[in-house]
């Protein structure tokens, strides 16, 4: 029996993209033990995985902060006697851990992020619009280099089923309509469909008695937006503060469709086998961050010469108008959603 350590510390969307790969690995190599090292806050993502998957929480802003903290983390990991180290992150912190493990004669492989191809994809002149390898495939490549080729055959963290509805029924009520999730926010402005347009989408479905809308998000500014919307549209429900990550995934598994930006919620809904209508602005699915098994036909995006201009959406719009988002009409988004639920 071998013990494999998989490292992916952040961000939430990237950690979520590791789930189909780790799940597939665990099922195809049941004789081996797999431990995932990630931020403690992401542990609920791994609670529904096969029994040979374990979790270690890292605290990079607390007890594992800085070089002293990294050395302390390495000491904790060393005591587990791992045989293989699969670094799905490949940043300064994890490179240091990789080095320590190599010096201890452990087999280590780290992700190749394909920066050259992504740079050509987003450069301002002479773009090369080629579909880059997905993060799922890049993670699997790390395992293959360690001697564990994986067939990516993941369906959902709930297998062929859904989350236990009894755990959420008192909060969300019985399901008697089509359920739509809407996650209108993302980390960077280049990935956020204008809120005034998103409100038109919310208003459209709020007026439909055959549909129930749930809003997903977090943080004070997002809560203020949701409070405005729910006061205008009483049939719409904000989920901020009502569920934890585990029960939020449970609710997502009972949705009929999720509307999301290129953000973590696209990946969370993908983990429970729910179709996602995803809106893409400054970024592009070709960068390799499309949700697991999500269909390109369900994306909403425009063909502009300047797109994509950013891999992660953090760069300011050089045109200054975010036409890639502002020229998408609410009707286009509504049509995609209705095409799934009708």
């Amino acid at each position: 029996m071998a013990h494999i350590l998989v490292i992916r510390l952040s961000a939430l969307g990237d950690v979520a993209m590791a789930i189909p790969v780790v799940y597939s690995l665990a099922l195809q190599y049941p004789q081996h033990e797999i431990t995932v090292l990630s931020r403690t806050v992401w542990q609920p993502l791994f609670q529904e995985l096969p029994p040979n998957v374990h979790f270690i929480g890292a605290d990079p802003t607390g007890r594992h902060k800085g070089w002293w903290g990294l050395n302390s983390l390495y000491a904790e990991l060393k005591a587990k006697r791992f045989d293989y180290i699969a670094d799905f992150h490949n940043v300064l912190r994890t490179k240091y851990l990789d080095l320590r493990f190599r010096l201890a004669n452990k087999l280590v492989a780290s992700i190749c992020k394909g920066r050259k191809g992504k740079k050509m994809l987003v450069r301002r002149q002479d773009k090369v619009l080629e579909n880059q390898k997905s993060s799922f495939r890049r993670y699997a490549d790390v395992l293959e280099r360690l001697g564990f080729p994986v067939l990516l055959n993941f369906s959902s963290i709930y297998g062929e089923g859904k989350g236990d509805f009894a755990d959420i029924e008192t909060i969300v009520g019985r399901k008697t309509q089509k359920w739509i999730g809407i996650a209108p926010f993302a980390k960077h402005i280049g990935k956020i469909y204008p809120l005034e347009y998103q409100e038109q989408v919310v208003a459209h479905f709020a007026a439909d008695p055959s549909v129930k809308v749930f809003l997903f998000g977090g943080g004070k500014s997002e809560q203020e937006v949701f409070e405005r919307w729910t006061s205008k549209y009483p049939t719409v429900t904000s989920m901020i503060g009502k569920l934890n990550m585990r029960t939020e995934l449970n609710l997502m598994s009972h949705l009929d469709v999720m509307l999301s930006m290129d953000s973590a919620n696209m990946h969370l809904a993908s983990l429970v086998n729910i179709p996602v209508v995803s809106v893409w602005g400054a970024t592009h699915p070709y960068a390799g961050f499309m949700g697991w098994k999500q269909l390109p036909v369900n994306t909403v995006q425009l063909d502009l010469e300047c797109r994509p201009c950013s891999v992660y959406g953090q760069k300011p719009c050089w045109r200054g108008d975010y036409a890639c988002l502002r020229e998408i009409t609410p009707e286009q988004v509504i049509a995609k959603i209705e095409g799934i639920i009708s």
Side-chain angles (χ1 to χ4, degrees):
M1 182 189 79
H3 198 170
I4 306 164
L5 175 65
V6 174
I7 305 174
R8 178 72 229 197
L9 297 177
S10 62
L12 175 54
D14 295 298
V15 175
M17 292 183 83
I19 300 289
V21 183
V22 172
Y23 196 106
S24 300
L25 173 71
L27 288 183
Q28 289 160 41
Y29 296 90
Q31 71 275 29
H32 299 319
E33 297 297 312
I34 300 145
T35 296
V36 177
L37 173 68
S38 190
R39 290 178 182 259
T40 304
V41 69
W42 307 143
Q43 184 171 10
L45 290 174
F46 298 87
Q47 289 178 348
E48 302 290 339
L49 268 63
N52 57 330
V53 178
H54 315 286
F55 184 88
I56 294 178
D59 183 15
T61 60
R63 77 179 197 276
H64 297 139
K65 184 178 181 180
W67 292 114
W68 286 106
L70 268 180
N71 284 322
S72 174
L73 177 58
Y74 173 71
E76 294 171 33
L77 296 172
K78 183 182 177 184
K80 301 291 185 181
R81 300 182 178 275
F82 296 109
D83 302 294
Y84 301 90
I85 315 301
D87 182 358
F88 285 7
H89 204 166
N90 199 12
V91 293
L92 191 59
R93 266 194 203 97
T94 65
K95 286 178 180 178
Y96 178 72
L97 294 175
D98 294 348
L99 175 63
R100 294 295 303 271
F101 279 115
R102 285 192 177 101
L103 292 173
N105 294 316
K106 303 298 181 182
L107 288 173
V108 179
S110 57
I111 188 171
C112 173
K113 296 183 177 179
R115 287 193 174 95
K116 182 179 178 181
K118 291 173 182 175
K119 186 176 181 180
M120 294 166 68
L121 178 69
V122 301
R123 65 191 180 189
R124 192 161 167 178
Q125 303 291 335
D126 302 317
K127 290 180 182 296
V128 180
L129 284 173
E130 288 184 357
N131 204 348
Q132 302 299 299
K133 187 181 291 188
S134 74
S135 290
F136 307 110
R137 189 66 256 165
R138 294 187 188 279
Y139 292 158
D141 287 348
V142 176
L143 297 171
E144 186 165 355
R145 291 201 298 276
L146 290 174
F148 300 98
V150 177
L151 174 65
L152 299 180
N153 56 359
F154 172 81
S155 176
S156 163
I157 60 172
Y158 300 116
E160 298 304 316
K162 297 180 179 296
D164 184 354
F165 193 73
D167 287 348
I168 60 172
E169 185 173 5
T170 57
I171 299 169
V172 300
R174 294 181 62 192
K175 185 174 182 181
T176 58
Q177 306 145 291
K178 296 286 187 179
W179 282 7
I180 299 173
I182 296 181
F185 295 97
K187 185 175 182 180
H188 302 294
I189 191 171
K191 300 201 290 188
I192 301 176
Y193 188 46
L195 292 179
E196 62 269 29
Y197 295 170
Q198 295 210 54
E199 183 178 347
Q200 293 181 46
V201 177
V202 170
H204 173 85
F205 289 107
D208 185 344
S210 69
V211 165
K212 184 170 184 176
V213 175
F214 295 93
L215 303 176
F216 293 87
K220 185 178 179 181
S221 61
E222 297 181 20
Q223 185 169 2
E224 290 172 356
V225 171
F226 287 2
E227 286 174 355
R228 286 203 310 271
W229 289 357
T230 54
S231 65
K232 283 188 188 179
Y233 315 106
T235 59
V236 173
T237 302
S238 168
M239 299 314 301
I240 292 181
K242 295 179 180 177
L243 299 172
N244 56 33
M245 183 177 287
R246 183 184 66 83
T247 49
E248 194 165 274
L249 284 165
N250 185 339
L251 171 57
M252 287 185 186
S253 75
H254 295 279
L255 298 176
D256 294 281
V257 62
M258 170 73 86
L259 169 64
S260 174
M261 309 301 102
D262 168 21
S263 68
N265 280 296
M266 170 179 63
H267 297 294
L268 296 179
S270 301
L271 293 183
V272 294
N273 198 25
I274 294 304
V276 179
V277 171
S278 53
V279 179
W280 300 75
T283 59
H284 197 287
Y286 276 12
F289 301 113
M290 184 74 146
W292 176 253
K293 286 190 175 179
Q294 293 301 329
L295 300 177
V297 71
N298 291 334
T299 62
V300 185
Q301 55 183 330
L302 301 176
D303 289 327
L304 299 176
E305 287 185 5
C306 55
R307 275 196 73 234
C309 64
S310 175
V311 174
Y312 305 109
Q314 81 279 26
K315 295 181 180 178
C317 174
W318 63 264
R319 287 175 46 136
D321 61 356
Y322 288 100
C324 58
L325 291 162
R326 300 204 68 86
E327 292 184 9
I328 295 172
T329 67
E331 289 74 22
Q332 288 174 280
V333 178
I334 290 166
K336 290 284 186 182
I337 296 171
E338 289 185 334
I340 293 173
I341 65 173
S342 60

